[in-house]
Amino acid sequence: GWVDAAIIPAHDEVTAGKRVLVTEGVINSITPLARITEKLEALVLIGGPSPHYEFDADVVSGQLTQLISSYQKWRWTIATSRRTPADVTDKLNDLSSPTVTLVTPEQTPDGWLSRQLAASRAAWVTPDSMSMVCEAITSGVPTGVSQLPDKGGSRVARGIRRLLENHRLASWSDHA
């Protein structure tokens, strides 16, 4: 009774109504780009353990290693989050090179994500955070999601599947 209307993302699985607007994704502060850069730059957003996906450091590191070796002319920025475990950050730090930079949350000032997405031609995101996925998609940058096993019955996992089915997101198997 205290709310006149609600804007709720589809992955929360509510029914739209006269007072409920259902959005395709999470509302965020990212501004869609007018044009994608031609530079061979990619952004990778890494989350961490969640109730929705089995987060495996070896799988995440292996998929990143495959991307980096498949696209050697690209410049890669890998950004961890507050939920990224220290052992994952350590594994990702091992990937650092002249073309691969690891960035932690402490190194990202306000507005960093918007600027980084604007400078990127592609984005890869772990599926454990619907917010990170939706921020990348909202930017207009072609976005793919890494492959992690979902924990059965998760509304976020169903939401990610819906984004894949609606071609708003690319799956790991479509990385080429």
Side-chain angles (χ1 to χ4, degrees):
W2 293 5
V3 177
D4 292 328
I7 301 171
I8 303 173
H11 74 268
D12 282 342
E13 300 175 337
V14 298
T15 304
K18 196 161 73 171
R19 295 173 32 165
V20 177
L21 172 66
V22 176
T23 63
E24 186 69 51
V26 178
I27 294 175
N28 60 69
S29 63
I30 303 296
T31 302
L33 301 173
R35 194 177 58 127
I36 305 288
T37 183
E38 294 296 318
K39 296 177 187 172
L40 300 179
E41 303 248 350
L43 175 63
V44 180
L45 302 176
I46 306 293
S50 79
H52 311 290
Y53 286 87
E54 298 290 341
F55 196 86
D56 184 317
D58 292 329
V59 170
V60 171
S61 177
Q63 289 177 14
L64 273 175
T65 299
Q66 185 178 348
L67 280 173
I68 292 165
S69 65
S70 295
Y71 304 96
Q72 293 179 14
K73 293 181 181 180
W74 285 60
R75 173 131 178 69
W76 296 88
T77 300
I78 303 169
T80 60
S81 73
R82 291 181 304 275
R83 289 186 305 105
T84 307
D87 66 319
V88 175
T89 301
D90 291 343
K91 279 185 181 282
L92 297 175
N93 205 32
D94 291 343
L95 298 175
S96 291
S97 73
T99 60
V100 180
T101 303
L102 179 67
V103 179
T104 63
E106 300 78 31
Q107 298 169 301
T108 58
D110 288 341
W112 179 88
L113 182 58
S114 289
R115 289 189 302 278
Q116 197 64 44
L117 284 165
S120 299
R121 187 168 169 182
W124 283 95
V125 186
T126 57
D128 51 275
S129 171
M130 185 60 90
S131 294
M132 288 191 318
V133 169
C134 290
E135 287 167 332
I137 291 171
T138 299
S139 73
V141 172
T143 301
V145 67
S146 58
Q147 185 174 336
L148 293 172
D150 67 74
K151 296 179 180 177
S154 164
R155 64 180 172 75
V156 169
R158 286 190 298 272
I160 295 290
R161 275 195 299 276
R162 190 171 28 256
L163 292 170
L164 288 163
E165 290 165 1
N166 293 335
H167 307 289
R168 298 192 186 282
L169 190 59
S171 67
W172 170 250
S173 60
D174 293 329
H175 68 82

